[in-house]
Amino acid sequence: MSTPKQIQLSHGGGGREMAELIGKLFFEAFDNQILRQEEDAACLNMTGPIAFTTDSFVVSPLFFKGGNIGKLAIAGTVNDLAMMGAAPQYLSCGFIIEEGFEIAKLKEIVETMAAELHKSGAKIVCGDTKVVPKGCADGVFINTSGVGRIIKPGISVHSVRPGDAIILSRDIGCHGAAILAAREGLELETELQSDCATLWPMVEQLIAANLELHAMRDATRGGIAAVLNEWAKAANVGIELSEEVIPVRDEVRGVCELYGFEPWDLANEGTFVIALPQEIAADAITVMHQFCNCDQARIVGTVTDTNAGKVILHSPWGSKRYLELPAGELLPRIC
Amino acid sequence: MPELQLKQLYDGFRDPRTVAELASQIKQLAAKLDEPVNVMEVCGGHTHTIMKYGLLQLLPDNIEFIHGPGCPVCIMPKERIDQAAALAQIPDVILVTLGDMIRVPGSEGSLAQFRAKGCDIRPIYMPLDALKIAQENPDKTVVYFAIGFETSTPMTAVLLEQAEKLGIPNLLFHINHVLVPPAIDAVMADPDTRVNAFIGPSHVSVITGSQIYQPTVDNYHTPVVVSGFEPVDVMQSILSIVKQKVEGRCALENQYERAVSYKGNEAAQQKVNHFFTVRPSFRWRGLGPIPNSALMLKPEYRHRDAELKYGERLPVKEIDDHKACQCGDILRGKAKPQDCKVFGRGCTPQTPLGSCMVSSEGACNAYYRYAGVK
């Protein structure tokens, strides 16, 4: 009997086919002692404060320039831990796979996940696989949960305070624009790549430099507009940004121009924002430039005690406007 | 020759020094005005340029913007949305439409809400996407809920042409294309109107030419400047209007010479005229019925007309906005978004009562999102 090239419902049935899939694909890629125990739950040794997070990934298309859903699933969860000053340690991974999905593609996704795990040293220690009938999912959905040991306590949206500088790690909107460009119906020709990346190595350097970090967040769905609005509301402060200094790639601006979007609303998957005291902002930038592959890191704004709960964007010609929380689906303008 | 980048097309039109210089010139010249200039920007795209780039803050107090009816989503009466929802509920119908349209509330909910209930409703990026959907779903009927002003009508005409040429039988049209000049007439017919100048949408004129505004200049003795959508475009157009006012002139001017001619794109006009004819009357949200203000399919294309094919299933009851909603006055230029009692309270982009708030091109949406910074 030949080996099937597509996922069958039986791959989720708990029997021989499922055991083979898990053994040959997942265990080989994610191999570690805890996973190999094959117990009902992973037994972990952890001490001290722990950060715990979960995220589900349902991106379409599954493969895009700069990554795929697997890379997103690892980077996304690891980054959520990193943004709390926690060293990512253990991850769980749940797959929901549509019947008929190509096993070769699943292998590619899983191998990308394994490669991405190496960048933070985190391990997948437990998992779950479900197969749903054709039409009930869009290829593959992945859920990852993660725990990490908090190395730098006190990093919180509630710690943002007037006088802080807002630092952006790199140019914005690459992931959102790359996904949009690759979407069926658009298929724009562009060299644009998603910024999808594991941020822990950068955060580790910032922590090693012993900088006073008030808040950090990766600007995923909703872009920097969402992150900064959440901060402004949670900490009851105002945030003022200078449009001129926010780095935006020409290709991203091009996609925004074509479809009537704004780069501050587009998703990022490897770009983060930091709030820290103004006095040490230059030191943080120096660390980021030297050790973190963040050549474009820069101060883009300040935190104020006026306009509490609001983010204000200053234009290059001296006018200003609110930068609102993005709402609804990102739909292109009509004319 | 190096490849032209999109960035090069707009960079100069967002140059801070040019914007500041234009603002300074407008201020100097506006000091000479005898009466305030109340400029109607017909198109929601201009409203957003003005609000997004904070241009209002750069202008003197005797120049006021009045937001006109030129947003295809804002002017769509509820009964037309209800018709789209009714079409989407017919078994084996796929309803496709552009962008924001799926968020506009009808009397029973928005198309997005009907999609959540299981209707096959698909927002598309461009009309030709409807062709592909029809080809991929031969056992279903695809209805294109066509919306937009003169700008987007040629794309619907091309879609129709392709469907005919390729013999695709399962693509029908629900036509809601509307026209700018009759809407301007409806605004100016109001004896209380304060509008005494217009900036005209350049993308409409790319198709129609600037010529469509000549009657506005002649009939209402008001300046019209066809304007692009970048900050420098709008500021330059305002300067032209102020110059005309100071000199006591009224003329049709074309600021957007880089793409607009007097006669426009005649090939596109021919294509539109080939497939469409003027509808005797169309009811505009907020403005009521306006004669000859919209298009419909010509009789020879009635086999593509979803309104005819599914006529008996489509609700025709005219439904006005919520009583508290002042979208009508806003679309007529008689009220500002903040004048509306429900603005930002009962009516927000998440819970819109009127379409000026739901559409990303609507005046209320623009004011809600961008205005009010002290």
Side-chain angles (χ1 to χ4, degrees), chain A residues 180 183-187 243-244 250 253-255 257-259 261-262 265 307 312 315-325 327-335, chain B residues 6-7 10 14 16 19 51-55 57-58 72-73 98-103 115 123 125-126 129 132 147 203 230-231 350 361 368-374:
Chain A
L180 193 71
R183 219 163 244 182
E184 197 181 355
L186 290 183
E187 290 147 2
E243 189 179 331
E244 249 171 326
D250 286 346
R253 242 183 237 293
V255 169
E257 288 303 315
L258 279 173
Y259 295 102
F261 299 144
E262 294 203 274
D265 295 350
N307 288 300
I312 292 168
S315 79
W317 38 80
S319 62
K320 51 192 176 178
R321 59 129 158 157
Y322 289 132
L323 186 64
E324 275 290 321
L325 194 64
E329 295 169 71
L330 272 187
L331 295 167
R333 65 176 165 216
I334 288 158
C335 57
Chain B
L6 195 60
K7 181 177 164 23
Y10 61 72
R14 292 181 196 172
V19 174
M51 303 310 297
K52 192 164 88 176
Y53 297 109
L55 302 184
Q57 298 159 37
L58 308 178
V73 171
L98 295 176
D100 270 2
M101 205 62 226
I102 72 161
R103 285 209 294 252
R115 183 177 60 176
Y125 292 96
M126 55 194 85
D129 292 345
K132 198 174 163 203
I147 58 163
H203 53 4
E230 295 295 337
Q350 282 72 52
E361 288 164 37
Y368 186 88
R369 285 172 64 183
Y370 306 128
V373 184
K374 297 285 187 295

Side-chain angles (χ1 to χ4, degrees), chain A residues 43-329:
Chain A
C43 297
L44 310 174
N45 272 323
M46 298 191 81
T47 53
I50 300 293
F52 176 35
T53 187
T54 190
D55 209 343
S56 297
F57 298 85
V58 294
V59 66
S60 176
L62 295 171
F63 294 84
F64 47 85
K65 280 192 180 149
N68 63 41
I69 188 171
K71 187 178 182 187
L72 270 185
I74 299 301
T77 291
V78 162
N79 290 347
D80 285 349
L81 296 170
M83 293 299 113
M84 295 302 290
Q89 288 189 280
Y90 303 116
L91 266 59
S92 73
C93 179
F95 284 92
I96 295 174
I97 313 169
E98 185 184 19
E99 179 190 14
F101 190 71
E102 280 179 52
I103 292 180
K105 282 187 179 171
L106 184 63
K107 191 163 188 282
E108 190 181 339
I109 289 169
V110 169
E111 283 170 355
T112 311
M113 294 172 80
E116 198 62 25
L117 280 166
H118 282 298
K119 295 176 187 166
S120 65
K123 295 181 176 69
I124 287 179
V125 293
C126 56
D128 177 50
T129 306
K130 294 281 186 295
V131 179
V132 294
K134 200 160 182 63
C136 294
D138 189 9
V140 172
F141 298 151
I142 302 176
N143 170 272
T144 45
S145 299
V147 290
R149 195 162 55 86
I150 294 178
I151 311 279
K152 179 98 176 170
I155 297 174
S156 160
V157 290
H158 302 286
S159 303
V160 178
R161 63 192 65 151
D164 279 358
I166 301 288
I167 292 176
L168 186 61
S169 67
R170 55 164 287 174
D171 61 305
I172 56 170
C174 286
H175 179 74
I179 290 289
L180 193 71
R183 219 163 244 182
E184 197 181 355
L186 290 183
E187 290 147 2
L188 299 177
E189 276 184 32
T190 168
E191 292 306 308
L192 193 62
Q193 290 212 341
S194 165
D195 60 331
C196 182
T198 290
L199 295 171
W200 172 246
M202 289 87 155
V203 173
E204 197 174 20
Q205 292 297 332
L206 287 168
I207 293 173
N210 204 24
L211 294 166
E212 184 185 340
L213 303 168
H214 286 169
M216 286 193 290
R217 189 160 282 187
D218 50 341
T220 55
R221 272 182 310 165
I224 63 164
V227 169
L228 296 174
N229 270 287
E230 283 163 19
W231 284 7
K233 283 195 176 58
N236 201 32
V237 293
I239 294 177
E240 310 241 349
L241 298 175
S242 171
E243 189 179 331
E244 249 171 326
V245 294
I246 300 174
V248 183
R249 214 168 276 251
D250 286 346
E251 295 96 318
V252 172
R253 242 183 237 293
V255 169
C256 286
E257 288 303 315
L258 279 173
Y259 295 102
F261 299 144
E262 294 203 274
W264 357 101
D265 295 350
L266 292 184
N268 309 274
E269 290 294 342
T271 303
F272 66 115
V273 192
I274 311 171
L276 45 56
Q278 193 82 47
E279 311 84 74
I280 58 163
D283 297 340
I285 299 280
T286 304
V287 170
M288 294 174 84
H289 284 183
Q290 278 188 342
F291 303 110
C292 302
N293 297 318
C294 296
D295 302 343
Q296 293 177 294
R298 63 184 72 178
I299 300 170
V300 294
T302 52
V303 181
T304 65
D305 52 11
T306 52
N307 288 300
K310 291 284 185 187
V311 181
I312 292 168
L313 189 67
H314 291 257
S315 79
W317 38 80
S319 62
K320 51 192 176 178
R321 59 129 158 157
Y322 289 132
L323 186 64
E324 275 290 321
L325 194 64
E329 295 169 71

